[in-house]
Amino acid sequence: MEEKLASLFQALADPNRLRMMELLRKQEWTVGMMATQLEISQPQTSKHLRILHDAGLVTVTIDANRRRYALKSQVVEPLDAWRTYLARETARLDRLENFLAESQREENGS
Amino acid sequence: MSTVKSHVEGTTLIMERLFKAPRQLVFEAFSTPAHLEKWWGPAGWETKVYSFDFKPGGIWHYCMTCVDKEQSDFYGMESWGKSTFIEIDPSSRIVYTDAFSDADGHVNPDLPVMTITNEFLDTPEGTLFISRSEFPNEEALHQVVEMGAVEGFTSQLDRLEAIVSQ
């Protein structure tokens, strides 16, 4: 149980995989389409999609020789909570960055 | 534009960010109360520092208030924090515990205490800041994520866990 939750956080705490989740929200994707969209290699794309699949976040349909990935509809809300949390933490660091930039301008006397 | 890299290792959330500023200045932003009041806290929140004793065992007690009317759920809300410094290595490392408290400095026993390790590293591009937030267990990580989440979000991760366990 705990391990499952850990793999979930792990799955979501990667920028590429978060972008994939965002894209998967709108439609189904094949590895090739996703790789083109994200401008990363197909093996990398496959690896990330496999991690999302192993964490139980996406479904895969094998259609002829293609794998089509889709988001499980029930995961959208919890996903938003995680994204909100990360966005808030990122916003903190944005404030720090602005503060540092202002401090340096003051030091330079401009 | 800077980007934040983040990932989770077990029950530790790790965030990395590169700042185009001298290491000393970045360190001072975390070790000077007047500086902290200028940037600490989420967007739309103001911070006031009530005590700040920057030495191992020293206490940092502060209050964050939401001043952004757009954040209707949170507007006017106060959030008190109480931190205890554990380890300080000037200009390079600060370790402290971060707890939720009240105005009198009593720690809320129902909410998790996190251990934060902030590191400041010189790189040719600027100061690399690495922050590790260690939660006591996965339940706590979960609880803090929920608190920072959208209105109406209750135990969604329990639901999520149930879904992915199917």
Side-chain angles (χ1 to χ4, degrees):
Chain A
M1 196 101 152
E2 292 236 319
E3 253 171 48
K4 194 80 198 176
L5 196 58
S7 80
L8 202 57
F9 281 121
Q10 199 83 49
L12 293 178
D14 174 276
N16 272 322
R17 292 197 287 273
L18 277 178
R19 286 167 69 201
M20 287 179 168
M21 292 292 280
E22 194 56 37
L23 292 170
L24 284 161
R25 204 172 198 163
K26 293 168 192 136
Q27 61 178 77
E28 290 187 335
W29 293 78
T30 63
V31 174
M33 284 158 64
M34 184 71 90
T36 308
Q37 180 74 25
L38 293 178
E39 296 176 335
I40 57 175
S41 72
Q42 290 216 9
Q44 282 281 29
T45 308
S46 291
K47 189 195 80 180
H48 288 307
L49 285 168
R50 194 159 51 238
I51 292 168
L52 293 175
H53 183 251
D54 290 346
L57 293 164
V58 301
T59 59
V60 59
T61 317
I62 298 170
D63 175 16
N65 56 351
R66 281 195 184 153
R67 287 164 166 267
R68 284 183 291 119
Y69 288 87
L71 190 62
K72 277 195 190 167
S73 59
Q74 306 97 312
V75 306
V76 173
E77 268 185 83
L79 182 64
D80 280 344
W82 177 246
R83 283 159 43 91
T84 305
Y85 178 72
L86 279 185
R88 197 188 61 177
E89 292 302 304
T90 304
R92 255 176 202 252
L93 297 180
D94 287 340
R95 289 187 74 183
L96 173 57
E97 184 164 65
N98 291 337
F99 167 77
L100 293 170
E102 271 168 37
S103 299
Q104 290 186 95
R105 267 199 299 275
E106 277 166 28
E107 243 169 56
N108 296 336
S110 55
Chain B
M1 208 186 109
S2 294
T3 53
V4 175
K5 280 197 285 185
S6 65
H7 66 284
V8 172
E9 279 174 13
T11 57
T12 304
L13 172 66
I14 300 158
M15 303 186 81
E16 285 185 23
R17 178 127 167 192
L18 184 71
F19 292 110
K20 292 199 182 333
R23 187 160 64 113
Q24 184 58 29
L25 180 62
V26 185
F27 185 83
E28 280 168 12
F30 284 85
S31 56
T32 314
H35 287 190
L36 280 163
E37 288 187 342
K38 287 187 186 146
W39 72 268
W40 186 259
W45 292 65
E46 270 178 16
T47 300
K48 183 138 179 55
V49 175
Y50 288 86
S51 60
F52 194 86
D53 188 13
F54 194 58
K55 63 176 189 219
I59 300 292
W60 168 26
H61 188 217
Y62 60 95
C63 182
M64 299 182 291
T65 308
C66 183
V67 294
D68 179 7
K69 287 188 178 142
E70 304 278 299
Q71 300 181 34
S72 52
D73 306 339
F74 296 116
Y75 179 63
M77 190 193 274
E78 281 189 349
S79 178
W80 289 83
K82 185 180 177 181
S83 292
T84 307
F85 295 107
I86 298 171
E87 198 188 314
I88 294 166
D89 189 352
S91 302
S92 62
R93 189 175 145 97
I94 305 172
V95 184
Y96 63 96
T97 58
D98 188 17
F100 294 87
S101 81
D102 63 13
D104 297 322
H106 298 121
V107 168
N108 185 332
D110 298 326
L111 292 172
V113 177
M114 290 167 276
T115 303
I116 315 287
T117 302
N118 288 335
E119 288 182 290
F120 309 85
L121 306 169
D122 275 327
T123 75
E125 295 81 31
T127 304
L128 180 63
F129 170 70
I130 306 172
S131 182
R132 292 165 190 271
S133 304
E134 192 187 333
F135 296 77
N137 50 51
E138 274 159 14
E139 176 61 29
L141 173 57
H142 185 151
Q143 202 177 356
V144 170
V145 171
E146 276 186 23
M147 286 174 57
V150 288
E151 189 193 27
F153 177 78
T154 46
S155 299
Q156 294 287 4
L157 290 172
D158 283 334
R159 283 179 45 198
L160 177 56
E161 193 184 1
I163 293 158
V164 299
S165 301
Q166 278 167 14

